[in-house]
């Protein structure tokens, strides 16, 4: 694998092609209880906070909810998403290389990155999506090697 920038299989776009572009967002005015319910229902670990559904106002991950529960106890569930979210969101583009995104997540200690195009939300990539893609690529490569050996 050469890993050149823009190579389709190596970019964020290849993940969006596999998983789709739907992003579930929440409002800063929603409660943490509502956010936790949405995360459980959708089976994901973070929600983009957006009033318009297009721009990114913040990100709320399960870790933010755990943090608030540790600090405020059960009362945390009635607090607002806006009180717990991270407002300074690191985003990426469709053409970014997956390895670069992975390095950023690892360095900055988070597992989710909204994908932005022309200032608008067009997808979400998580560490799980990246792991899934890496595993699929490894299977693909192993199968190509097996075919090569069998054919010779
Ligand atoms: P995570 O590991 O993604 O569950 O998130 C850990 C912490 O990083 C939480 O406080 C999140 O709000 C925050 N966080 C998650 N994703 C991002 C992101 N793309 N940019 C900035 N902060 C983030």
């Amino acid at each position: 694998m050469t890993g050149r920038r823009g190579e389709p299989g190596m970019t964020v776009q290849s993940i969006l092609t596999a998983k789709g572009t739907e992003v579930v967002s929440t409002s800063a005015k929603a409660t943490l209880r509502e956010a936790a319910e949405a995360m459980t229902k959708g089976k994901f670990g973070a929600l983009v906070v957006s009033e318009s559904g297009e721009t990114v106002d913040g990100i709320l991950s399960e870790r933010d909810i755990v943090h608030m529960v540790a600090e405020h106890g059960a009362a945390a569930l009635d607090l607002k998403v806006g009180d717990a979210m991270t407002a300074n969101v690191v985003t990426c583009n469709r053409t970014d290389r997956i390895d670069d995104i992975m390095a950023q997540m690892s360095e900055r200690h988070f597992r989710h990155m909204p994908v932005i195009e022309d200032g608008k939300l067009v997808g979400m990539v998580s560490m799980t999506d990246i792991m899934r893609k890496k595993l699929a690529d490894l299977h693909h490569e192993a199968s190509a090697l097996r075919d090569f050996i069998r054919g010779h």
Side-chain angles (χ1 to χ4, degrees):
M1 275 181 236
T2 52
R4 276 171 286 139
R5 187 185 170 86
E7 207 175 306
M10 310 298 292
T11 61
V12 165
Q13 178 58 49
S14 67
I15 290 178
L16 295 187
T17 302
K19 70 170 268 202
T21 55
E22 195 206 356
V23 186
V24 177
S25 60
T26 185
S27 160
K29 293 176 223 133
T31 62
L32 293 185
R33 179 178 283 104
E34 287 164 336
E37 282 165 5
M39 284 183 200
T40 301
K41 192 166 163 231
K43 295 195 176 72
F44 32 64
L47 296 169
V48 166
V49 185
S50 173
E51 291 311 319
S52 65
E54 288 193 330
T55 54
V56 178
D57 308 327
I59 190 161
L60 180 88
S61 97
E62 52 200 3
R63 217 168 269 194
D64 299 317
I65 298 178
V66 169
H67 184 88
M68 291 303 256
V69 169
E71 203 171 317
H72 302 278
L77 296 177
D78 295 316
L79 297 175
K80 303 286 184 221
V81 166
D83 299 324
M85 71 180 194
T86 301
N88 199 1
V89 184
V90 180
T91 61
C92 63
N93 301 305
R94 292 175 193 272
T95 53
D96 285 336
R97 291 183 63 241
I98 292 170
D99 285 350
D100 293 340
I101 300 304
M102 208 166 102
Q104 279 207 59
M105 284 184 180
S106 169
E107 273 162 32
R108 297 172 186 241
H109 302 284
F110 56 64
R111 299 163 292 178
H112 300 88
M113 244 196 236
V115 189
I116 299 293
E117 190 171 69
D118 298 328
K120 289 184 184 159
L121 188 60
V122 293
M124 176 81 133
V125 172
S126 74
M127 198 56 127
T128 305
D129 298 329
I130 293 177
M131 294 303 168
R132 217 170 259 150
K133 166 83 172 106
K134 293 261 169 204
L135 202 59
D137 288 350
L138 279 177
H139 280 307
H140 188 77
E141 203 178 332
S143 139
L145 284 173
R146 264 196 298 272
D147 290 348
F148 178 81
I149 290 165
R150 282 199 196 112
H152 283 77

